Amino acid sequence: MNHHVTWFKRGVIMARTALALAAVLLADSCSAFTGTGAFLRIPQNNALRRETPCSRSSVTRIRCAATADNLMDRFFGGKKSSNPVTPTEQLPRARLGSVRAGDKVGILFLNLGGPEKLSEVEDFLFNLFNDPDIIRLPNIVKPFQPFIARGIARRRAPDSRANYESIGGGSPICKLTQEQGDCLEAELRKRGVESKVYIGMRYWYPFTEEAVDRLLMDDVNRLVILPMYPQYSISTTGSSIRLLNQIMKEDLKRWDPRKIDHTVVPDYFDHPGYLASQAKLIRKELAEFAGRTGEVKVMFSAHGVPKSYVEAGDPYKTQIEKCAQLIMDEVNRGPDQFDYVLSFQSRVGPVKWLEPYTDVVLEELGAAGLKNLVVVPLSFVSEHVETLEEIDQEYREVAHEAGITNFKRVPALNSDPLFISTLADLTLAALEKPALRVSECLDLYQDESNNLPGYPWEFGVTRAAEQWNGRLAMIGIAALAVSQVLRVGCPHIEGPAILGKEPFCAALSYDGWSWLLGFLSNAPTTV
C-alpha cells in the first residue's frame, strides 16, 4: 500500500512540476511586458509624449494580454490561425470615397522610433530584440525571449550608446517624423482636407499603442495607416501592422468599420512621386559629374534583413531591387547615364543577411580604382543612427581606407516638399480607393500560418518534429527537477520558508499541497 502511495505522490509531484513551470513562464513573460518585472523598463519621457488617461494602462493591457493569450500555443507549438475573420470584417468592403463633411481624418505614421537620451538606449534595444518579428525563436524557446532580449540589449548597449553619442546624444527620428507630420497636415489643408497626424513608434516613445489611444479619444472616423517605410518588410511595416491587428482584436466593437473606417498604405516604393523625390536629391549630388559619368558611381545602401526572411516570402528584397532600378531610370532621363550598385547594411548576429554587404562593396570599389562615390540611404525616409553614424562615419572611413577619396552622401528625404506632396497624394488616394484592412494587409504580405525560420537556431526536420522536441524537452526538465528533489532533497534557495520548507520544495511537496487544500476547504465563506 505504501509503495502505491509513494508512486502516486511522485506522479502528483511530476504533474504539478509541469504546471508550476508553465505558470512561472507565464508570470515571467507577463512581468516582462507589463514592466512589473526586471525585464522591461520604460522611463518616462514627457518631451516625447503627452499624457493621456488611458495611455500607460492600454499599453500594459495589450502587451500582457497578447502574451497570456498566446503563450501556451507558442510554448507547445500549437496550431495558429491565419487572421481569422472577425465579425466586423465580415461586412462588405465599402469604398472610402472622398472626404465627407463632418469626417475626422486621421493619419497614423508608423516608424521605428529611437532613444533621445543615452540613458534610454538599453531599454530601446530591449524593446527591439523582444519583438518576435525581429528575433524569431523556436517554439520551445519563445517564452524566454524577454531574457534573451535583455541579454542582447545589455551586451550591445555600450557600443550603441557610443554611436548615439557621436550624433549628438540621441536619435532625431521622432523629431523629424513629427516635422513630416506637421508638413503633411499643412499640405492637406492646402488641398481642402483637415486632418491630424498621429506618430506611432514601434520600439520607443510615442509608442503605437499611445498613438492609437489618442486617435480614438479624438473620435477619428477615417484613418489612413501610413508606414514611414517605402518598402514592405516583415520586420518593419509587418511588425507594426501585426501589433495594430492585436490592438484591434482587443476591442472589435470600437474598431467596427462603421465607426472608424481604416485603410493601410502597405508600400510605395514604386510611386512616381517617391521616385522623383529621390532622383532629385541624387541628381543634385551628381551635378558636378555632368559629362563625366565614368568617374563616379551611385551606391544604394539599404537596411538588410536575414536571408531566411526573404526565403520565407518577405517581399523586401524584390521591392528594394526594383526601387533602386526605378530611381536610376528617373535619374538617367537626361543625356548622362550613371551606373549604380546596391548593397545592404546594419547586419547583426551570426546568421546570413542579404548580400552584398555595404562595407564589402566599398572595399571592392576602392580596389577597382573608384575615387568618387555617391551613397543613397535607401529604405530610410528620415535621418537616424543608420545614416548619421553608420554611413556618415563608419562607411566613410571604410571608403577612405579603400581609396575612395570623394565620398558623398545623399540626404534622407525628411520634409522635402516633393516627398511631403507624395505623402499627401498617398493619403488622398487611400481615402478614395477600396479600404485595405490591417488583417487583409497581413494576409497579402505575410501568411501568418507559415512560421518563418527560427533565429538563429533550427530544431527538428519538420514543424511537427520541432513541436515534439519541445514537448519532450519540457517533460525532461520536469523529470530532472523532480528526480533531484527525490534523490538529494530540497536545494537551498533564498527566500521565506513555507511549512518549514524552501519555497521551491513547498510548491512540489505533498505536505505543502495538502496544507493548501485543507486551508481552502476550511476557509469561511460568505454568500
Side-chain angles (χ1 to χ4, degrees):
M1 180 66 178
N2 290 336
H3 175 73
H4 291 297
V5 171
T6 299
W7 279 105
F8 173 75
K9 289 182 179 180
R10 291 181 179 180
V12 171
I13 289 173
M14 292 184 69
R16 285 201 302 264
T17 300
L19 292 174
L21 286 172
V24 169
L25 290 172
L26 176 62
D28 285 340
S29 296
C30 275
S31 67
F33 278 88
T34 60
T36 57
F39 305 108
L40 179 57
R41 301 192 302 273
I42 305 179
Q44 294 296 322
N45 190 341
N46 293 327
L48 290 183
R49 62 184 290 257
R50 298 183 298 273
E51 290 294 333
T52 60
C54 54
S55 245
R56 178 59 53 219
S57 62
S58 296
V59 173
T60 299
R61 183 175 63 255
I62 292 166
R63 289 182 175 173
C64 190
T67 305
D69 291 344
N70 300 324
L71 183 62
M72 296 308 292
D73 282 343
R74 288 166 54 198
F75 192 72
F76 287 99
K79 183 178 180 181
K80 297 178 176 62
S81 62
S82 176
N83 285 319
V85 177
T86 62
T88 59
E89 290 163 354
Q90 293 173 351
L91 297 171
R93 286 179 55 192
R95 295 183 67 89
L96 287 171
S98 58
V99 179
R100 300 176 296 269
D103 281 345
K104 288 191 175 182
V105 177
I107 300 134
L108 176 59
F109 277 3
L110 301 178
N111 212 335
L112 186 79
E116 284 204 331
K117 297 185 292 186
L118 297 180
S119 59
E120 300 170 349
V121 170
E122 183 176 327
D123 290 329
F124 165 75
L125 292 175
F126 169 80
N127 291 340
L128 178 69
F129 295 121
N130 197 40
D131 181 1
D133 284 314
I134 298 296
I135 293 186
R136 291 182 173 268
L137 301 174
N139 289 321
I140 188 64
V141 186
K142 283 182 179 179
F144 297 98
Q145 184 147 353
F147 296 90
I148 297 170
R150 178 55 66 188
I152 296 173
R154 189 173 291 116
R155 287 193 301 272
R156 291 179 60 86
D159 290 339
S160 292
R161 286 194 193 98
N163 293 339
Y164 282 106
E165 188 171 17
S166 71
I167 63 172
S171 173
I173 192 171
C174 183
K175 177 184 176 183
L176 294 174
T177 305
Q178 186 62 61
E179 289 177 358
Q180 290 171 325
D182 294 340
C183 291
L184 177 57
E185 290 179 4
E187 177 65 23
L188 289 173
R189 192 174 301 114
K190 291 179 183 177
R191 304 189 189 190
V193 177
E194 289 295 330
S195 63
K196 184 174 181 179
V197 173
Y198 301 85
I199 309 299
M201 300 297 188
R202 185 65 180 89
Y203 305 114
W204 205 243
Y205 294 110
F207 287 111
T208 305
E209 298 94 330
E210 297 175 276
V212 168
D213 285 341
R214 289 171 185 150
L215 68 89
L216 290 177
M217 291 176 64
D218 290 343
D219 293 324
V220 169
N221 66 333
R222 307 286 299 283
L223 178 64
V224 176
I225 299 168
L226 185 56
M228 292 291 97
Y229 312 107
Q231 302 83 16
Y232 188 101
S233 174
I234 293 170
S235 59
T236 53
T237 302
S239 177
S240 291
I241 294 297
R242 191 188 299 273
L243 174 61
L244 283 174
N245 197 42
Q246 294 174 0
I247 293 173
M248 292 178 180
K249 287 181 178 180
E250 285 288 309
D251 193 349
L252 296 175
K253 185 178 292 186
R254 188 73 178 269
W255 286 95
D256 187 327
R258 292 166 294 191
K259 296 180 180 179
I260 176 169
D261 216 346
H262 77 273
T263 187
V264 180
V265 179
D267 58 56
Y268 45 94
F269 69 94
D270 56 354
H271 189 279
Y274 170 72
L275 300 174
S277 59
Q278 285 280 22
K280 181 189 71 172
L281 297 178
I282 295 172
R283 280 195 293 264
K284 184 177 179 180
E285 299 298 328
L286 291 172
E288 66 179 276
F289 300 101
R292 301 182 292 122
T293 59
E295 298 180 12
V296 66
K297 189 181 288 287
V298 175
M299 184 177 79
F300 291 97
S301 184
H303 201 293
V305 297
K307 274 190 173 180
S308 59
Y309 284 32
V310 177
E311 292 167 355
D314 193 337
Y316 178 73
K317 181 174 182 288
T318 300
Q319 292 189 1
I320 281 286
E321 291 172 342
K322 185 176 180 181
C323 181
Q325 181 61 61
L326 291 172
I327 291 173
M328 287 308 297
D329 290 344
E330 186 72 19
V331 171
N332 291 329
R333 284 185 178 274
D336 290 329
Q337 301 294 302
F338 295 94
D339 193 16
Y340 80 96
V341 64
L342 172 64
S343 63
F344 297 91
Q345 65 180 82
S346 308
R347 68 185 187 274
V348 294
V351 300
K352 202 76 170 177
W353 283 53
L354 290 181
E355 295 179 292
Y357 301 137
T358 296
D359 53 348
V360 174
V361 171
L362 288 172
E363 293 170 352
E364 292 174 350
L365 293 175
L370 184 71
K371 299 300 180 183
N372 304 296
L373 183 68
V374 174
V375 181
V376 184
L378 198 59
S379 71
F380 308 104
V381 300
S382 58
E383 304 288 3
H384 55 303
V385 70
E386 278 88 353
T387 60
L388 298 173
E389 193 281 329
E390 190 172 8
I391 294 179
D392 287 356
Q393 299 179 33
E394 294 182 31
Y395 291 147
R396 184 183 298 274
E397 182 178 351
V398 172
H400 286 170
E401 291 177 354
I404 302 173
T405 56
N406 186 15
F407 182 95
K408 306 181 71 176
R409 202 262 289 180
V410 174
L413 293 170
N414 295 323
S415 296
D416 179 83
L418 185 53
F419 178 59
I420 297 300
S421 178
T422 299
L423 294 180
D425 292 340
L426 290 167
T427 300
L428 295 178
L431 289 170
E432 294 172 357
K433 293 178 180 177
L436 177 66
R437 307 298 182 203
V438 161
S439 59
E440 294 169 336
C441 180
L442 287 176
D443 285 336
L444 284 174
Y445 284 83
Q446 53 193 91
D447 184 359
E448 286 195 309
S449 64
N450 294 328
N451 295 329
L452 288 179
Y455 172 84
W457 308 286
E458 289 286 348
F459 299 138
V461 177
T462 65
R463 188 178 303 163
E466 181 180 329
Q467 293 171 1
W468 277 107
N469 287 343
R471 296 185 180 107
L472 292 174
M474 272 195 61
I475 294 173
I477 292 172
L480 179 63
V482 171
S483 65
Q484 288 296 310
V485 172
L486 295 176
R487 187 170 64 87
V488 299
C490 297
H492 177 71
I493 302 176
E494 294 295 335
I498 302 176
L499 296 177
K501 300 177 182 292
E502 299 289 350
F504 176 75
C505 291
L508 294 177
S509 69
Y510 178 81
D511 293 338
W513 281 83
S514 297
W515 174 84
L516 178 61
L517 292 174
F519 174 81
L520 294 176
S521 61
N522 295 325
T525 59
T526 58
V527 179

